[in-house]
Amino acid sequence: MKKGTECIGVVERIEFPNKGIVMVDDEKIIVKNTITGQKVRFVINKVRKGKSEGRLLEVVEKSPLETKEAVCSHFGACGGCTYQTISYETQTNLKAEQVKKLIDEVITPENKEYEFQGIEGSPLEFSYRNKMEFSFGDEYKDGPLALGLHKKGSFYDIVTTSDCKLVHEDYNKILSCVLTLAKEYHLTYYHKMSHEGYLRHLLIRRAARTGEILVNLITTSQTNVLVNGEEDFLNKLRDTLKNLTLEGSIVGILHTVNDSLADVVQSDHTDILDGQDYIFEEVLGLKFKISTFSFFQTNSLGAEVLYSCARDFVGDTKDKLIFDLYSGTGTIAQLLAPVAKKVIGVEIVEEAVVAAKENASLNKLENCEFIAGDVLKVIDTIEEKPDLIVLDPPRDGIHPKALDKIIDYGVDRLVYISCKPSSLARDLVVLQERGYQVEKVRCVDMFPGTVHVETVVLLSRKKNGAKIEVEMEV
């Protein structure tokens, strides 16, 4: 198969997370962002030995699985969703099948009797996200200013997602307000190639339980494009946002300057234009203070399902010392603390650790300790030894050296929470080689409409069999 060849084929199956498998002349082609059963037209854009990839051009025929009409007007163009045309039950079944296949491929023969508990759905199929990072750009080269999500398959083009269904309607009103004002001031967006321009991102957080909203405009320091100066624009932005009619309430309006060359949302410095730089959210009866950049599960109600599952897998914690590694803002640690002797959380993001300490104090929990630093290095400095360990690593999984140190503790039980099953499968290989067996697996759908899924695994340390001494006399 040559690069640039245009083909038509039927998607036979999907491999996690979104790799559609199409066979053309007995050759396997991967076409992303497709659905099993779709007839698709695509062009070969990568050719490697034994594996080629195609870029989706058109869905020629729908899949038999597509029994719904998309509820979002941007579906298809926007790269945020893949499964809107599939019933929610079918979505969750597909994800559960993909995860089980990944785990079954790495499970050892002695572990094959593990209990796969299926998948739990999100309490909300739509309007479930509590955080969105929208990008400024244009929908096509030299087109009008856009603000929203990346166009499917594009690194540069932006779709103005003023009708996004993954978020509460308050997000869409704020997005439209900011975009209208930016156009009124004739502001330019930051071009990734020339590194010129002012507008970069709009970050919005909205708590599901409290309705508190935080709005953060991220720009460069290139203020030369502002005719009347930056202060005039930011004051107008603040006043306009405060006058919006929303279901929730804006408790903080921020301005962050980011001159990094990388296309990431980060802060060189942040100013509070109005109110405060945090919101409060409630999960399973506990209160959490969330700042603009701190990590928190993006589906608040789904997080209650996820953490309930984790707590169920952890089991008896009475008089036990628990390590919560990759602890973020300490949500899991604080849910376990009331029924444990002590919980020690380790997190590399210092801001998240500060928030975790504040949250523990807010919830009157005195047996939580949070340490800032890389798990690989920090666990060498902790003198106490855990009775059980909870792992909730980033998407890439656990560093191999850190995993070795975690295994060396020899705890009877490990609970591994993964947002990327392929990374989980890789780490399970090592854990089984080093004496752990998989007991239970349960998926939790935190991201309806998309290809992503969370997985919770309970592992236990294999017990050495009893030794029998036999004395033989010849």
Side-chain angles (χ1 to χ4, degrees), residues 185 228-237:
Y185 275 74
N228 297 320
E230 187 176 47
E231 186 177 353
D232 176 66
F233 166 67
L234 294 177
N235 286 340
K236 184 68 179 294
L237 173 70

Side-chain angles (χ1 to χ4, degrees), residues 32 112 128 150-151 219 278 332-333 370 380 458:
K32 293 182 179 179
K112 64 181 180 180
Y128 62 83
H150 284 268
K151 188 180 286 187
T219 73
Y278 58 87
I332 297 173
F370 295 100
D380 289 334
L458 171 63

Side-chain angles (χ1 to χ4, degrees), residues 52-118:
S52 298
E53 290 187 22
R55 179 169 56 84
L56 179 66
L57 298 175
E58 177 191 6
V59 176
V60 179
E61 290 180 12
K62 284 186 175 183
S63 162
L65 299 177
E66 295 181 88
T67 57
K68 289 171 55 181
E69 291 297 322
V71 298
C72 178
S73 60
H74 312 297
F75 180 75
C78 169
C81 293
T82 302
Y83 291 153
Q84 271 196 28
T85 53
I86 298 177
S87 74
Y88 188 52
E89 183 181 1
T90 303
Q91 288 182 40
T92 53
N93 289 340
L94 283 172
K95 293 180 185 184
E97 289 168 7
Q98 290 174 9
V99 172
K100 190 173 189 304
K101 182 176 183 295
L102 281 170
I103 292 175
D104 285 347
E105 286 173 352
V106 299
I107 212 80
T108 56
E110 59 268 31
N111 276 335
K112 64 181 180 180
E113 298 301 322
Y114 79 95
E115 182 184 354
F116 185 77
Q117 298 183 345

Side-chain angles (χ1 to χ4, degrees), residues 277-315:
D277 61 354
Y278 58 87
I279 58 173
F280 285 109
E281 180 62 292
E282 295 172 4
V283 175
L284 293 173
L286 295 178
K287 203 169 185 179
F288 295 92
K289 180 181 178 182
I290 308 168
S291 60
T292 184
F293 293 115
S294 63
F295 172 78
F296 197 82
Q297 288 287 354
T298 53
N299 182 342
S300 296
L301 303 185
E304 295 189 330
V305 179
L306 178 69
Y307 294 142
S308 294
C309 173
R311 198 160 57 180
D312 179 36
F313 278 16
V314 165

Side-chain angles (χ1 to χ4, degrees), residues 122 124 128-130 297-303 445-448:
S122 168
L124 293 176
Y128 62 83
R129 287 189 66 96
N130 59 37
Q297 288 287 354
T298 53
N299 182 342
S300 296
L301 303 185
D445 185 26
M446 300 279 284
F447 317 100

